[in-house]
Amino acid sequence: MFKNKELVIFDFDGTLIDSVPDLASAVNHMLVSLGHEPKEERIIKEWIGNGAKTLVTRALNDAKGSSKIEEGTLQEALDIFLVYYKEHTCDATYLYPHAKETLGIFKRHGKKIAIVTNKPSAFVAPILKKLGIAHLVDFYLGAEDAAYKKPHPAPLLKACEQAGVDVDAALMIGDSKNDIEAAKACSMQSVAVSYGYNYGEDAASLGADIVIESLKDVVHLLDIKPRVGVIGGGIAGSSVALHLGELGGNVTLIERKNSLVDGPPMCHLHAGGNLYREISDEQCLQLLRESIELVRFYPDGIDFRPTVIAIPDYDEGSMEDLLPRLKLLQKEYARLVKEDERNKVLGEPKEYYELFDKEAIEALAKEEPKENPQSSREWMIPFAKEVDLSRIKFPVLFVREFGLNVFRIAASATLLLQRVPNVTLRLQSEVVDVKEEEHGFVVRYKKEGGEFEERFDYLVNAAGFQSGDIDDMLGLQRERFVEFKAAYVTKWREDGYKWPEVIFHGKRGTPQGMAQFTPYRGGHFQLHGMTKEITLFERGLVKSSPLSAQPKLDEKFLKKIYAGWSEEPLRTRTQRAIEHLSHLIPAFKEAKVAAKPLYGAQQIPGNDDTLRAADFSFEGKRYARCEIVKASSVLAMADAIVRQLEELGFFPKGYTGRRFEHTLEPTEVEELAKSFARQREYPEELALLTAPL
């Protein structure tokens, strides 16, 4: 509303500061000294606003019950008042909420700041100093610093002259008619605050251009955009940068690698936490909601093929144990679809899951696989034909829970971020130091042999498993785990039929740990085996210490992350993964190693290493940690950050949620995704969808 303002002029008493306690104390000292009864603070408040002499005159008039006061009496009273007030100028005076933060934002964004007050100027400097805002104010004009006081326009015109700006480039912010009438008299735009000393008048009646409830509301009215630094370009950092950029923030995304979203393997939405029997219903419902949001945010990164969950005969669980949760999830999905039809991204709610008994599976085993399966029955045919049915319990669960394609999400995020002009990507940039300033942060990073610094109003730590390093730079404590994991890329039956994803439940960390069979094009399969010989690693889960927020991974894992895998462990672990799956899919023993593993480390915040639904934490008002364990949590985290920026005044009140209008050319996404796959030394087929929507 007030773009291109160079000078912001504030009234003092009632706008930036509440000086009533000290002014009332001085008035009452004067009254008592002259033999009058003291007055209540609420009454004295109504007399403030036209300078010390007027305040004293009003107090005497009220005490004497007359408007006629001898000049000598008035001068004596004024002297008593001024002497006392000089000694008690800022005993109980305080800043209004958000005053200092707002001044700091204006200062960091190049605005000139002036105070124009009817208070004698001798009292201004001590208050500014005592309240710690003197360095944020360029200059001030008191009662005697212009030919006339407000409501005359003279002090506002003098402020413009001193700042070297035209009236059109200035804005007056005040609490009373004196402030607003002074602005009107020189055709200056004005803002009235709803609090302060306005003689009992409704602020809306003063005639200002707008009335605000808090000084922070001026920030977005002046079109000041937050400078946000995001450290880390994984799915968390990229999604937050995209969302904040779309909302108008000036975002810089700093990533040490040469492309985005290149970290731990992703393969599954985890909608409803169907893979995790050990987590709570609350976490499951959270994962369901977040998965729906992720599908809507990155529609080109989702592989719309379903998932089959089976329980092997050696596992102690049963499908009946999962039914209450599935019904709960189905009910919640139906509610979300009713709330917003666009949430129908997992198919019809009534078809969210389906159970297949042994008889149905055996019948499907006799049918021929379909080239493009559509129904649940058609998707189940490969499972029925290839799985050793004597090794599993019945029924088997079919659930419309889809896959994440890391290369396509990387491509989508990159293309979308390139479309947002106020987002800057700093790839191949390694953060070496972070320092907090009074109203923001300074981030120092290395790039191409040089060292650079940038200042930000707000900092987002999305550094993934290295988030603790950023905390350590800032001297912040935070408990967390870091876990190194790998998934293995194999090839089997290049011209084979289309599979759903298949999950065989199992107890994590044991030789019978969960097995995950994720299909891609061209006969490629990504394998997880939740044993310490396959996906998990001995000493691969480490915890932070009281001395450092960063868990210390063994050097051998860091070497894998930064330098890659050597041939022997690559082949050995991939072969173990093949054997793990072939116990349940016998023909899969023919599969071969197709590429290096998909691998990386992930953080788990707090002290519970089984946590799966997590999103964010904050330190103060300007620092956020992205603490997702699963990719689907990124948007809940982005919303929380927006709400905090709203609280700082950068975004208007009433944020109602992100927009889901992302559209990209499918061929553009696919070509970039394939280039990422090649660049990272994986088969191109891993960038293709097995079942487009």
Side-chain angles (χ1 to χ4, degrees), residues 369-438:
K370 309 299 180 184
E371 183 176 348
N372 290 299
Q374 299 295 317
S375 68
S376 57
R377 286 179 52 80
E378 290 176 352
W379 275 109
M380 291 295 294
I381 292 172
F383 176 92
K385 295 182 77 68
E386 298 289 354
V387 172
D388 183 349
L389 302 182
S390 70
R391 300 293 308 274
I392 63 171
K393 301 177 183 180
F394 289 92
V396 172
L397 172 65
F398 173 95
V399 60
R400 294 191 181 279
E401 186 171 328
F402 303 134
L404 303 178
N405 188 296
V406 64
F407 303 105
R408 298 181 71 89
I409 288 178
S412 296
T414 301
L415 292 168
L416 290 168
L417 283 166
Q418 288 172 351
R419 291 181 174 186
V420 184
N422 43 309
V423 174
T424 301
L425 298 181
R426 304 272 189 230
L427 300 178
Q428 296 180 287
S429 302
E430 181 182 1
V431 173
V432 295
D433 192 33
V434 181
K435 283 187 168 58
E436 186 171 8
E437 297 184 322
E438 184 181 12

Side-chain angles (χ1 to χ4, degrees), residues 159-232:
C160 291
E161 180 182 356
Q162 188 162 329
V165 303
D166 293 332
V167 169
D168 289 345
L171 178 69
M172 177 69 212
I173 303 175
D175 66 306
S176 73
K177 61 183 179 182
N178 289 334
D179 305 310
I180 307 309
E181 288 178 6
K184 285 181 177 179
C186 60
S187 301
M188 182 183 294
Q189 287 188 295
S190 63
V191 173
V193 297
S194 60
Y195 54 88
Y197 324 144
N198 51 14
Y199 315 112
E201 295 181 77
D202 183 353
S205 69
L206 300 179
D209 290 281
I210 193 169
V211 178
I212 60 172
E213 296 178 2
S214 169
L215 284 174
K216 70 179 182 182
D217 298 335
V218 187
V219 175
H220 73 269
L221 292 174
L222 285 169
D223 200 37
I224 293 177
K225 304 300 186 185
R227 298 189 188 112
V228 181
V230 180
I231 300 175

Side-chain angles (χ1 to χ4, degrees), residues 18-324:
D18 188 342
S19 54
V20 169
D22 289 323
L23 289 170
S25 178
V27 167
N28 281 329
H29 173 76
M30 176 270 294
L31 290 173
V32 171
S33 297
L34 295 177
H36 303 295
E37 291 293 319
K39 296 295 181 181
E40 292 181 40
E41 191 175 286
R42 63 178 179 81
I43 295 174
I44 297 173
K45 180 179 178 180
E46 299 298 323
W47 301 335
I48 298 170
N50 294 83
K53 187 174 182 179
T54 303
L55 173 59
V56 169
T57 301
R58 289 169 176 161
L60 289 175
N61 283 337
D62 183 85
K64 295 168 74 69
S66 169
S67 60
K68 186 174 181 180
I69 303 170
E70 297 293 333
E71 185 62 33
T73 302
L74 177 58
Q75 188 59 51
E76 180 185 7
L78 183 59
D79 290 343
I80 294 171
F81 171 85
L82 292 174
V83 168
Y84 184 90
Y85 188 57
K86 185 176 181 181
E87 294 175 356
H88 302 277
T89 303
C90 200
D91 290 353
T93 292
Y94 60 90
L95 287 166
Y96 281 110
H98 304 287
K100 188 172 184 178
E101 291 172 0
T102 301
L103 292 174
I105 290 170
F106 289 171
K107 194 74 172 175
R108 285 175 67 87
H109 287 262
K111 304 298 181 185
K112 295 177 182 178
I113 300 170
I115 291 174
V116 172
T117 176
N118 286 344
K119 180 192 284 298
S121 58
F123 297 114
V124 178
I127 296 175
L128 294 177
K129 183 178 180 181
K130 179 83 176 286
L131 297 179
I133 60 171
H135 64 294
L136 300 175
V137 176
D138 292 291
F139 63 91
Y140 59 85
L141 300 177
E144 69 279 19
D145 292 326
Y148 302 95
K149 295 186 295 185
K150 297 177 295 182
H152 197 282
L156 300 190
L157 293 172
K158 184 171 182 179
C160 291
E161 180 182 356
Q162 188 162 329
V165 303
D166 293 332
V167 169
D168 289 345
L171 178 69
M172 177 69 212
I173 303 175
D175 66 306
S176 73
K177 61 183 179 182
N178 289 334
D179 305 310
I180 307 309
E181 288 178 6
K184 285 181 177 179
C186 60
S187 301
M188 182 183 294
Q189 287 188 295
S190 63
V191 173
V193 297
S194 60
Y195 54 88
Y197 324 144
N198 51 14
Y199 315 112
E201 295 181 77
D202 183 353
S205 69
L206 300 179
D209 290 281
I210 193 169
V211 178
I212 60 172
E213 296 178 2
S214 169
L215 284 174
K216 70 179 182 182
D217 298 335
V218 187
V219 175
H220 73 269
L221 292 174
L222 285 169
D223 200 37
I224 293 177
K225 304 300 186 185
R227 298 189 188 112
V228 181
V230 180
I231 300 175
I235 188 169
S238 297
S239 301
V240 168
L242 175 59
H243 186 42
L244 295 181
E246 288 178 326
L247 289 176
N250 291 314
V251 184
T252 299
L253 176 58
I254 304 172
E255 164 59 42
R256 68 181 296 166
K257 294 184 179 180
N258 61 4
S259 61
L260 301 176
V261 194
D262 181 11
M266 289 188 290
C267 57
H268 212 275
L269 274 173
H270 304 285
N274 285 308
L275 277 65
Y276 305 115
R277 295 176 292 188
E278 68 274 16
I279 68 175
S280 66
D281 285 350
E282 183 180 7
Q283 285 193 57
C284 289
L285 292 171
Q286 180 179 338
L287 286 169
L288 174 68
R289 291 189 293 268
E290 292 175 349
S291 293
I292 291 169
E293 292 174 343
L294 190 72
V295 175
R296 290 180 60 186
F297 202 72
Y298 291 119
D300 297 287
I302 308 302
D303 202 350
F304 291 89
R305 48 112 186 93
T307 298
V308 174
I309 296 177
I311 300 176
D313 57 3
Y314 52 74
D315 187 81
E316 61 187 19
S318 71
M319 197 59 68
E320 284 72 21
D321 297 334
L322 300 180
L323 286 179

Side-chain angles (χ1 to χ4, degrees), residues 613-668:
D615 32 46
F616 58 85
S617 68
F618 296 113
E619 292 282 346
K621 297 181 179 179
R622 298 173 178 271
Y623 180 72
R625 298 184 189 90
C626 297
E627 295 185 322
I628 65 167
V629 179
K630 296 303 175 189
S632 53
S633 300
V634 296
L635 300 173
M637 171 201 62
D639 278 347
I641 291 171
V642 171
R643 285 191 289 270
Q644 198 171 53
L645 286 166
E646 177 183 299
E647 183 62 24
L648 288 168
F650 285 111
F651 295 135
K653 290 184 293 185
Y655 171 72
T656 56
R658 62 201 150 277
R659 296 162 293 189
F660 294 101
E661 72 277 11
H662 295 155
T663 55
L664 294 167
E665 284 294 329
T667 54
E668 187 180 24

